[in-house]
Amino acid sequence: MDAAPQEDWPIKRLAEVSAVSPAHFAREFKKAFGVPPHRYLLSRRIERATALLRDSDLPITEIALQTGWNSIGTFGRIFNDITGESPGEFRARECSTPHSRQEVPECVMRAIDRPNLNIAVSEKRRLESAVKLEVHNQDKEVT
């Protein structure tokens, strides 16, 4: 998954390669990496996308395709959910910020840039919606 995050990595395929059942693979993967396989793959795709956005002039559509998304809309929505900004905003910010990344080993920079996906993207959206609803309700009570 690290070497080819753009590929589909269904649990069934990973379990077959590991010669274990899908349920066993999923349990052991989560024990080893702390996150389910899908979330691990998602973090690697976003990590690769951020590197391409920062270090290349590739169009965002090409970056989406190279990192495993078939839809630019899905890529943009997930990227925004995880990083808090659109791919275009991320690229503009990174290009406007001078930094000396060349002096730091790539593996260290990848670890620093790796998105923290301790909760699922859908759970993150649910929590953000709950906060917005609470703020909305407080505003209604004040008026």
Side-chain angles (χ1 to χ4, degrees):
M1 291 197 309
D2 286 338
Q6 74 281 3
E7 291 186 22
D8 286 333
W9 291 99
I11 290 185
K12 183 179 178 188
R13 176 179 168 199
L14 295 167
E16 287 173 1
V17 169
S18 304
V20 296
S21 74
H24 181 75
F25 179 84
R27 274 192 312 272
E28 294 303 313
F29 189 96
K30 188 171 181 178
K31 278 185 199 172
F33 294 98
V35 293
H38 174 72
R39 209 175 304 166
Y40 180 88
L41 178 61
L42 196 58
S43 70
R44 293 307 182 268
R45 285 180 173 178
I46 294 297
E47 178 184 315
R48 179 75 180 130
T50 57
L52 289 171
L53 286 165
R54 184 185 55 244
D55 302 332
S56 77
D57 293 328
L58 289 171
I60 292 174
T61 303
E62 182 62 28
I63 291 172
L65 294 172
Q66 283 191 18
T67 53
W69 278 277
N70 296 324
S71 159
I72 186 71
T74 303
F75 170 65
R77 183 173 42 82
I78 298 292
F79 190 93
N80 195 2
D81 284 343
I82 292 172
T83 65
E85 55 192 348
S86 72
E89 291 168 340
F90 176 85
R91 174 175 268 171
R93 183 178 52 76
E94 283 293 316
C95 290
S96 68
T97 307
H99 42 72
S100 55
R101 298 179 72 93
Q102 295 82 8
E103 298 171 9
V104 180
E106 183 180 339
C107 61
V108 173
M109 292 311 302
R110 281 185 173 200
I112 291 170
D113 291 342
R114 187 164 295 146
N116 182 4
L117 290 179
N118 288 334
I119 63 171
V121 172
S122 58
E123 180 65 11
K124 183 178 175 183
R125 281 190 205 131
R126 190 189 66 74
L127 292 172
E128 288 173 354
S129 295
V131 169
K132 286 179 184 174
L133 183 61
E134 186 175 315
V135 169
H136 177 74
N137 288 340
Q138 288 174 351
D139 288 346
K140 285 178 79 175
E141 289 176 9
V142 172
T143 57

